[in-house]
Amino acid sequence: DAGVIQSPRHEVTEMGQEVTLRCKPISGHNSLFWYRQTMMRGLELLIYFNNNVPIDDSGMPEDRFSAKMPNASFSTLKIQPSEPRDSAVYFCASSLMGNYEQYFGPGTRLTVT
Amino acid sequence: ILNVEQSPQSLHVQEGDSTNFTCSFPSSNFYALHWYRWETAKSPEALFVMTLNGDEKKKGRISATLNTKEGYSYLYIKGSQPEDSATYLCAFTSGGYQKVTFGIGTKLQVIP
């Protein structure tokens, strides 16, 4: 298996632009998680999905952030409009329902100037 | 807000030394406790998942224990090697929906 796939690996954009991060979970996994890593706050859970349904989005910072999972093999995290404070590494992870072990993707390093 | 605390935040040990770190978490509504190993410029990798009070898990020179009643877990590394250098993350799952809260991590540096 190729593992969790994220794209792009690096994104540099200007303040105010829309940013879309993509994730393909491991085939057969039913749960998908989006995390943000910053120096100050460590690894923060933004949102997670079970069977493509968002279960808890209380970690999403504000209305500028949105996430979708249209099918079992694809999810997006969108930031519109982006701000410099959104600069961070964004990780996607997936797991089997009922199996607690999460498998992380390589992350997307976002820089907003 | 669920508080997952790890100590120490960073640690330097000599090659061959044994070491341990602590993770404390809320003892109510416990579901699972995870340990992850995170090397620089890589992604976190799962080490252990523990669900029962008294659980002990072992993988090579690394082992972990769990006390859900008092809300703590220990991670032990026996005979540290330079390749053990990484940040070790503890994560707590509450309730039944796999909501995970991560600690800030313990950064281990093993000096050859």
Side-chain angles (χ1 to χ4, degrees):
Chain A
D1 198 311
V4 176
I5 299 172
Q6 289 187 248
S7 64
R9 294 292 303 277
H10 302 274
E11 176 82 27
V12 180
T13 191
E14 292 184 349
M15 183 174 66
Q17 296 298 305
E18 177 179 296
V19 175
T20 300
L21 311 182
R22 297 172 176 80
C23 176
K24 177 178 167 54
I26 291 173
S27 177
H29 282 190
N30 295 328
S31 296
L32 183 139
F33 306 79
W34 281 102
Y35 293 93
R36 177 171 67 176
Q37 183 222 352
T38 61
M39 290 293 292
M40 294 298 294
R41 299 170 70 96
L43 204 59
E44 297 176 278
L45 177 65
L46 299 176
I47 185 171
Y48 72 96
F49 296 84
N50 274 353
N51 292 323
N52 313 337
V53 176
I55 300 300
D56 189 333
D57 64 354
S58 59
M60 295 285 263
E62 49 198 90
D63 291 345
R64 297 184 298 107
F65 285 68
S66 62
K68 293 182 180 179
M69 192 166 186
N71 56 62
S73 59
F74 183 66
S75 177
T76 59
L77 178 68
K78 187 176 291 187
I79 308 172
Q80 166 63 20
S82 58
E83 296 182 3
R85 60 192 169 121
D86 301 329
S87 298
V89 180
Y90 291 81
F91 286 98
C92 175
S94 70
S95 71
L96 284 169
M97 185 97 78
N99 182 323
Y100 312 100
E101 184 176 71
Q102 294 185 22
Y103 294 81
F104 282 76
T108 295
R109 181 174 293 277
L110 173 65
T111 303
V112 183
T113 60
Chain B
I1 297 176
L2 299 172
N3 290 321
V4 178
E5 297 181 0
Q6 292 189 245
S7 63
Q9 287 194 14
S10 65
L11 190 59
H12 291 76
V13 300
Q14 290 291 134
E15 181 176 353
D17 286 352
S18 294
T19 187
N20 64 84
F21 341 122
T22 304
C23 172
S24 62
F25 53 87
S27 55
S28 60
N29 201 23
F30 175 86
Y31 201 55
L33 192 284
H34 320 238
W35 282 100
Y36 287 84
R37 181 171 179 274
W38 194 359
E39 290 182 72
T40 302
K42 294 187 177 180
S43 305
E45 292 183 356
L47 283 174
F48 306 114
V49 178
M50 295 179 286
T51 58
L52 298 175
N53 184 44
D55 263 355
E56 293 187 21
K57 295 283 179 85
K58 186 175 181 182
K59 186 181 290 187
R61 294 179 291 98
I62 304 176
S63 60
T65 62
L66 178 67
N67 183 323
T68 61
K69 294 185 178 180
E70 296 182 38
Y72 65 83
S73 174
Y74 294 133
L75 186 79
Y76 301 90
I77 302 179
K78 184 178 178 181
S80 303
Q81 299 297 308
E83 58 265 29
D84 296 329
S85 298
T87 295
Y88 291 83
L89 293 172
C90 161
F92 167 78
T93 303
S94 63
Y97 293 109
Q98 298 180 269
K99 179 170 184 173
V100 181
T101 302
F102 278 83
I104 203 78
T106 292
K107 186 171 184 177
L108 173 67
Q109 183 79 30
V110 181
I111 303 164

